[in-house]
Each structure stands twice: as structure tokens, then as C-alpha cells.
């Protein structure tokens, strides 16, 4: 129905001298989403700090939903375009309101005027249009505090835009502007949510899953691919490395004290993820740890794991409760995939009493006696690599990072 979309950016105005770099990154991302989802020709320009996409064909709900997942987009306004003339505004408002139905409801008019040459200021336009709407539509009543309907008017130098359907996006920063992470994704609830939080902060991500073959079946791989299809909607292109890790876990559990098993599995995963980071030129690792959630996430264990690599390890869920994490998983659409049960080698090998305060000299001795580096490299070389496009198409096995 709407052939114009006004796309408002989030924190980009904060960025001072670097602003062009942020605009360039988000522009490229938006452009790719529009190319992937919108079947018609479109134009796409920056108009006074906001992007405006125009097309001869209406933008579909699917296209708009995809745009709302572009980090850095604050909000989207499917809009009507009006010439820059006060008297032209109300007739278009009337047309728009006829589409919203006749149920009684409350409204307010919200105007922003960046074109200072316009004869009325924002407040005056809101009052003027508000009074006309109030007169013309008896089922609509003004409520400036909690309106059901907001009539948005944007007055720019060359166009006025009107929208009653503003939608909030994920906000934050454009992907890639805060660097590149290797995200450790398991089949649980936490790590996909951690990934989402760091997309919002502008981090591009390469995904890695440590696959305990032959101790677990291969259904878990499909589960992971489904999770990555959801997360892949937040960046332009994704890669998932599925690293065979069963032998490694078997080896570790045979060599170490039983209570250190889980900790040493995590340690080996982080070491391997750090090797991958070097390969793909990522600058930090990302996990779904939450302080105290399980025994491997005590301060003692976290601080030991922090020493595995000089790379920073981001743990955006460190202060989250499980219920909060599950709420977010529902919101982003990974919950229903994560909830599907899968075999988990870590629980198969799980010690009765996992270590909570690890002994540094034991860990050091173990590392000296059983250096794992070569073995970890081999695991990584044997990884299956999947490419996932913005729209969720999966292709197997292209190794070049884009
Ligand atoms: P999640 O934390 O994703 O819900 P989980 O609770 O099974 O899954 P934990 O035991 O809490 O996982 O592990 C902590 C973190 O270590 C995970 O959030 C994830 O980042 C990483 N991790 C654990 N297992 C794997 C794995 N098999 N592959 C990749 N990363 C993993
Ligand atoms: Mg967890």
C-alpha cells in the first residue's frame, strides 16, 4: 500500500566525525535488504539525516519486517508524500485516516520540522492539524499522553512525509562498525540471544558450533542451521563453522580429573574459536555465559577462561536472569528452535561435582602435559562451513570470508 518508506537511524547522529562511515555501512545494508526483498525498482536517498526509499510498487510487510532487523535503524515509517505546502497536509491526513477504520480511539499529532523555512513551527503544525482532525472525525479524540494512534508529520525542505504506522526497529549501530566477532553458538537459549545483543552494538559475526560427533546425532546440525537462519537476518551474509569436537572431548575427559571436564571442554572451545578468529580476522569472541548460571560460569572459571586467549571475550548476558533471556529469545524468534531437545555431549560427560574454584597450577600442569594446539587446528581444518544469505538460503562449503 505504501510506496514510500522513511527510515530513521538510531545513534548515528552521535558519531561526530565518523558519521559518514556509519551512514555508509547502514546504507549498504538497507540497500541489500531492499534488493533481496523488494521485487520492484526503487530509489533510495538520504534526506536530512534520514533515508527515504521510494518505489512504483508498494513495499510489502515482509520487506518492512526485514528492514526492522537492520541494526542501526531506529524506526520505519510507511509514508505518504506531500508537497511542501501547509494546505496540502490535511487532505492527505484525511485520506490516511479513512484507512484506519471507524473504531473510536485517541490520537495525537507529532510533527518534526527540519526545514526552518516552513511558515509554522512543529508545535503549531501539530495543533493546527490536530484541531482539523478533531473536527472532521468524531470517533477520534485527542490524548497527547497515551494515544492509540500517532499521526507523524515530517517537514523537510523538498517533501513532507505523513505516517500513522511508525514501527520500531532494533536500533543500535550498523553491523560491522564495531568490528567482527566469532560467536560461539550452542543449541541452547542463551548464545543466540547474546548474538542478537551484539548485532545491535554493531558487531559482524562469524558463527561456530562445536559438534560432539559421534557422541550426538546429526539432528543438532539442522537445529543450529535454523538458529543461524534467524540470526543471519541481522547481517548481510553469515558463515557457520561446524567443528567436529567429539574426539577432542573424549580425549580431554580421559586425561583430566573428572571435576575439570566441563571447564576444559569450554577452554578448548575458546582456544579453537580463537584460532578461527585469527583465520577470519575477528577481533573478539562472544559467548552466552551468565554469571552463576551453571558451574562453568562462576567468577573463578570465567577468569580462568579469560586467560585462554588475548582476545576479549564478550559476555553480554553476564547480568541476565534465565527468564529475561527466554523472553528475549521469544522476541527474536530463536526460542521455538532452542526449545527442541538435542543430544548434548557436555551433559553426557558431565562430572558429578564440577569444579567451581579451579586450581591454577593443576590447569598449568595439564596444559604442559597435554598440549592441544595441534589437535585443535586439525578440528578446525575439518570443520564444515555453511554460507547463509540474508534471506536464509544455505549453501555448503565456501571457505572465503566475505
Ligand atoms: P546456551 O548457553 O547457548 O543456552 P548452554 O546453556 O547449553 O547453551 P552453556 O553450558 O551455558 O551452554 O555454555 C556457555 C556458553 O559456551 C554458551 O552460551 C556458548 O556461547 C558456549 N558453548 C557451549 N557449548 C557450545 C558448543 N557446543 N558450541 C559452541 N559454543 C558452545
Ligand atoms: Mg547457558
Amino acid at each position: 500500500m505504501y510506496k514510500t518508506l522513511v527510515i530513521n537511524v538510531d545513534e548515528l547522529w552521535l558519531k561526530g566525525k565518523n558519521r559518514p562511515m556509519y551512514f555508509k555501512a547502514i546504507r549498504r545494508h538497507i540497500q541489500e535488504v531492499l534488493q533481496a526483498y523488494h521485487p520492484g525498482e526503487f530509489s533510495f536517498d538520504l534526506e536530512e539525516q534520514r533515508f527515504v526509499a521510494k518505489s512504483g510498487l508498494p513495499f510489502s510487510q515482509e520487506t518492512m519486517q526485514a528492514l526492522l532487523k537492520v541494526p542501526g535503524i531506529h524506526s520505519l515509517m510507511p509514508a505518504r508524500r506531500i508537497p511542501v505546502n501547509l494546505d496540502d497536509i490535511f487532505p492527505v491526513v484525511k485520506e490516511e485516516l479513512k484507512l484506519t477504520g471507524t473504531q473510536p480511539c485517541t490520537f495525537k499529532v507529532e510533527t518534526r520540522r527540519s526545514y526552518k523555512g516552513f511558515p509554522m513551527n512543529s508545535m503549531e503544525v501539530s495543533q493546527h492539524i490536530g484541531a482539523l482532525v478533531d473536527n472532521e472525525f468524531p470517533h477520534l479524540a485527542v490524548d497527547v499522553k497515551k494515544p492509540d494512534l500517532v499521526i507523524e508529520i515530517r517537514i523537510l525542505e523538498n517533501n513532507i512525509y505523513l505516517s500513522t504506522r511508525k514501527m520500531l526497529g532494533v536500533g543500535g549501530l550498523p553491523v560491522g562498525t564495531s568490528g567482527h566477532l566469532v560467536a560461539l553458538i550452542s543449541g541452547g537459549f542463551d548464545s543466540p540471544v547474546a548474538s542478537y545483543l551484539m548485532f545491535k552494538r554493531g558487531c559482524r559475526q562469524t558463527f561456530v558450533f562445536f559438534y560432539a560427533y559421534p557422541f550426538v546425532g546429526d539432528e543438532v546440525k539442522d537445529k543450529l542451521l535454523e538458529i543461524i537462519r534467524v540470526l543471519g537476518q541481522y547481517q548481510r551474509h553469515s558463515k557457520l563453522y561446524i567443528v567436529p569436537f567429539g574426539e577432542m572431548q573424549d580425549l580431554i575427559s580421559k586425561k583430566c580429573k573428572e571435576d575439570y571436564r566441563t571447564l576444559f571442554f569450554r577452554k578448548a572451545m575458546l582456544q579453537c574459536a580463537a584460532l578461527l578468529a585469527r583465520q577470519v580476522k575477528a577481533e573478539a569472541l562472544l559467548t552466552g555465559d551468565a554469571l552463576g548460571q551453571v558451574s562453568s560460569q562462576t567468577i573463578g572459571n570465567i577468569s580462568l577462561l579469560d586467560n585462554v586467549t588475548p582476545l576479549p571475550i564478550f559476555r553480554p548476558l553476564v547480568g541476565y536472569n534465565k527468564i529475561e533471556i527466554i523472553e528475549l529469545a521469544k522476541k527474536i524468534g530463536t526460542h521455538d528452535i532452542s526449545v527442541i531437545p538435542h543430544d548434548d555431549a557436555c551433559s553426557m560427560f558431565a562430572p558429578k561435582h564440577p569444579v567451581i574454584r579451579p586450581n591454577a597450577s593443576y590447569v598449568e600442569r595439564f596444559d604442559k602435559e597435554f598440549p592441544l594446539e595441534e589437535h585443535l587446528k586439525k578440528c578446525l581444518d575439518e570443520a564444515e562451513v555453511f554460507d547463509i544469505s540474508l534471506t536464509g538460503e544455505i549453501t555448503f562449503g565456501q571457505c572465503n570470508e566475505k
Side-chain angles (χ1 to χ4, degrees):
M1 217 166 40
Y2 295 92
K3 297 176 182 171
T4 302
L5 289 179
V6 176
I7 304 168
N8 300 307
V9 295
D10 194 12
E11 295 179 26
L12 276 50
W13 52 271
L14 290 173
K15 296 294 168 192
K17 272 199 210 134
N18 289 332
R19 205 182 299 163
M21 188 263 283
Y22 287 85
F23 272 104
K24 195 170 155 203
I26 198 168
R27 173 190 277 275
R28 186 165 173 206
H29 197 166
I30 295 172
Q31 192 115 27
E32 273 191 36
V33 172
L34 288 172
Q35 268 156 4
Y37 283 90
H38 187 66
E41 299 265 310
F42 62 89
S43 71
F44 174 56
D45 297 298
L46 192 59
E47 292 186 26
E48 294 162 53
Q49 306 294 328
R50 54 193 51 81
F51 290 105
V52 182
K54 294 171 193 153
S55 176
L57 268 186
F59 291 102
S60 66
Q61 273 302 324
E62 196 192 12
T63 305
M64 292 192 260
Q65 288 307 317
L67 283 171
L68 292 173
K69 296 197 172 102
V70 173
I73 290 185
H74 171 269
S75 54
L76 204 62
M77 305 198 310
R80 291 168 185 264
R81 206 147 37 110
I82 308 173
V84 187
N85 180 12
L86 182 64
D87 294 337
D88 286 334
I89 301 178
F90 187 59
V92 184
V93 172
K94 252 170 46 179
E95 244 174 72
E96 173 78 11
L97 289 180
K98 284 193 186 128
L99 291 177
T100 60
T102 50
Q103 286 291 331
C105 74
T106 56
F107 80 98
K108 83 165 173 178
V109 182
E110 181 105 27
T111 308
R112 300 228 176 97
R113 178 190 68 150
S114 57
Y115 172 49
K116 301 297 174 207
F118 198 71
M120 277 187 183
N121 69 25
S122 303
M123 184 72 99
E124 287 163 346
V125 173
S126 293
Q127 281 169 353
H128 174 70
I129 300 294
L132 292 172
V133 170
D134 210 23
N135 262 337
E136 180 89 18
F137 295 91
H139 65 290
L140 297 180
V142 177
D143 178 353
V144 290
K145 289 216 177 94
K146 259 185 110 184
D148 303 317
L149 179 75
V150 182
I151 301 171
E152 308 270 358
I153 298 173
R154 298 289 177 274
I155 302 173
L156 313 187
E157 187 160 359
N158 297 317
N159 291 296
I160 294 179
Y161 294 106
L162 166 79
S163 178
T164 55
R165 289 157 203 257
K166 180 167 158 179
M167 297 175 268
L168 289 182
V170 298
L173 298 170
V175 170
T177 59
S178 301
H180 180 184
L181 311 178
V182 167
L184 287 86
I185 306 290
S186 69
F189 291 114
D190 307 334
S191 41
V193 173
S195 162
Y196 160 77
L197 291 176
M198 295 320 292
F199 274 131
K200 283 198 302 135
R201 297 316 300 155
C203 295
R204 180 157 81 86
Q205 295 174 34
T206 296
F207 301 105
V208 60
F209 170 62
F210 296 98
Y211 173 44
Y213 181 82
F215 301 101
V216 298
D218 62 1
E219 318 79 60
V220 69
K221 290 207 278 187
D222 294 333
K223 182 174 175 180
L224 259 291
L225 280 166
E226 281 309 302
I227 289 177
I228 303 306
R229 287 177 75 179
V230 175
L231 295 175
Q233 297 173 55
Y234 294 92
Q235 64 185 352
R236 294 188 290 114
H237 163 261
S238 303
K239 266 183 193 290
L240 168 65
Y241 287 71
I242 297 190
V243 179
F245 223 56
E247 266 180 40
M248 185 74 178
Q249 283 173 288
D250 193 39
L251 181 82
I252 293 173
S253 54
K254 284 185 178 133
K255 306 278 185 206
C256 77
K257 290 186 189 169
E258 188 190 313
D259 48 345
Y260 278 74
R261 276 182 195 167
T262 313
L263 180 64
F264 284 179
F265 292 166
R266 292 281 171 274
K267 185 165 165 291
M269 286 179 190
L270 288 168
Q271 275 172 291
C272 194
L275 292 175
L276 175 60
R278 200 188 306 153
Q279 202 173 301
V280 301
K281 300 193 174 61
E283 304 146 273
L285 307 182
L286 168 66
T287 74
D289 296 321
L291 188 62
Q293 190 193 78
V294 289
S295 61
S296 58
Q297 294 163 22
T298 58
I299 291 188
N301 285 333
I302 285 179
S303 69
L304 185 127
L305 293 173
D306 270 342
N307 290 326
V308 164
T309 163
L311 295 175
I313 302 173
F314 290 167
R315 298 179 176 90
L317 297 179
V318 73
Y320 278 60
N321 304 337
K322 197 76 187 185
I323 288 178
E324 294 168 324
I325 295 170
I326 288 178
E327 279 310 305
L328 271 174
K330 285 182 183 158
K331 187 179 132 186
I332 66 172
T334 52
H335 172 275
D336 291 358
I337 311 169
S338 294
V339 82
I340 300 167
H342 69 269
D343 296 335
D344 176 9
C346 289
S347 47
M348 267 163 52
F349 289 108
K352 276 193 210 74
H353 302 288
V355 63
I356 286 170
R357 277 179 223 88
N359 178 318
S361 54
Y362 171 67
V363 177
E364 213 173 292
R365 221 171 52 237
F366 182 87
D367 284 346
K368 274 215 185 91
E369 265 176 57
F370 306 106
L372 296 178
E373 177 98 2
E374 283 313 308
H375 202 100
L376 288 167
K377 275 190 192 145
K378 188 166 158 276
C379 292
L380 190 54
D381 285 344
E382 287 170 1
E384 292 177 273
V385 188
F386 295 87
D387 278 279
I388 299 98
S389 77
L390 186 65
T391 46
E393 282 100 41
I394 299 169
T395 33
F396 175 61
Q398 285 154 32
C399 276
N400 297 327
E401 275 288 304
K402 277 189 203 161

